Amino acid sequence: MTEQHSHQFGSQQFERGTDGPKVIVAGVDGSDSSLRAAAYAGGLARRQHALLAVVYVQPVLAAGAALGAPVTETTDEIAEDLVAQIREAAERVKGIFDVRWEFHTFRGDPYNGLVKAADELKADAVVVGASEQAGHRIIGSVAIRLVKAGRWPVTVVP
């Protein structure tokens, strides 16, 4: 029996689905479900020896809303507060950060921000929390839109 494929040693190019995920993106927005998603993604990353990329999408406010308010400072404060929350939540989940992890912020609406993050970080899997907003059950949540994009395995954590 002959080997049909060659391995490129030293190269980090793996076929998707053959070696398990190498980069797991967890979308967080400070909600309880997103923090549970980050904890779940951390466990996956640890077991798969993958990089956990925690992503917060900073909302872009309309120009009118920005008048009189230093928006960048405000959203940066939110991001810093989220980092603190995530670290705190992570410490409650024993050993979660026995994994390599990074924190990234992207600007935009949650769906497009996560798509951009997953593309730029070359995500193999995306983990998000279930929407806690009632309206999303009708309109379709970020999670459902990510699944429909069909570009990565998506795990939705309640």
Side-chain angles (χ1 to χ4, degrees):
M1 200 165 193
T2 59
E3 188 99 0
Q4 291 288 341
H5 57 278
S6 65
H7 289 284
Q8 293 181 323
F9 294 104
S11 162
Q12 285 299 311
Q13 297 219 322
F14 295 101
E15 275 184 51
R16 201 171 274 191
T18 55
D19 298 275
K22 295 296 168 200
V23 178
I24 298 172
V25 165
V28 295
D29 60 8
S31 66
D32 287 345
S33 73
S34 79
L35 294 174
R36 286 192 295 273
Y40 181 86
L44 280 180
R46 184 172 44 77
R47 289 189 294 280
Q48 302 279 356
H49 305 292
L51 172 70
L52 171 63
V54 176
V55 173
Y56 167 60
V57 180
Q58 291 182 265
V60 176
L61 298 183
L67 291 175
V71 174
T72 312
E73 276 178 40
T74 308
T75 51
D76 285 346
E77 277 171 33
I78 293 167
E80 281 168 31
D81 188 46
L82 270 174
V83 176
Q85 276 187 54
I86 292 156
R87 282 181 199 266
E88 199 179 296
E91 279 157 22
R92 289 197 300 265
V93 181
K94 191 178 176 295
I96 179 182
F97 286 145
D98 296 346
V99 298
R100 291 176 304 129
W101 71 288
E102 302 170 347
F103 185 85
H104 298 270
T105 58
F106 286 79
R107 290 184 189 277
D109 66 276
Y111 171 75
N112 287 309
L114 282 172
V115 166
K116 184 177 180 201
D119 282 346
E120 285 187 19
L121 300 168
K122 296 180 173 44
D124 294 294
V126 178
V127 180
V128 291
S131 173
E132 292 175 5
Q133 294 176 5
H136 280 183
R137 290 194 198 106
I138 301 148
I139 300 161
S141 66
V142 170
I144 289 167
R145 291 174 67 195
L146 288 168
V147 170
K148 285 182 175 171
R151 288 159 55 188
W152 326 267
V154 177
T155 303
V156 183
V157 177

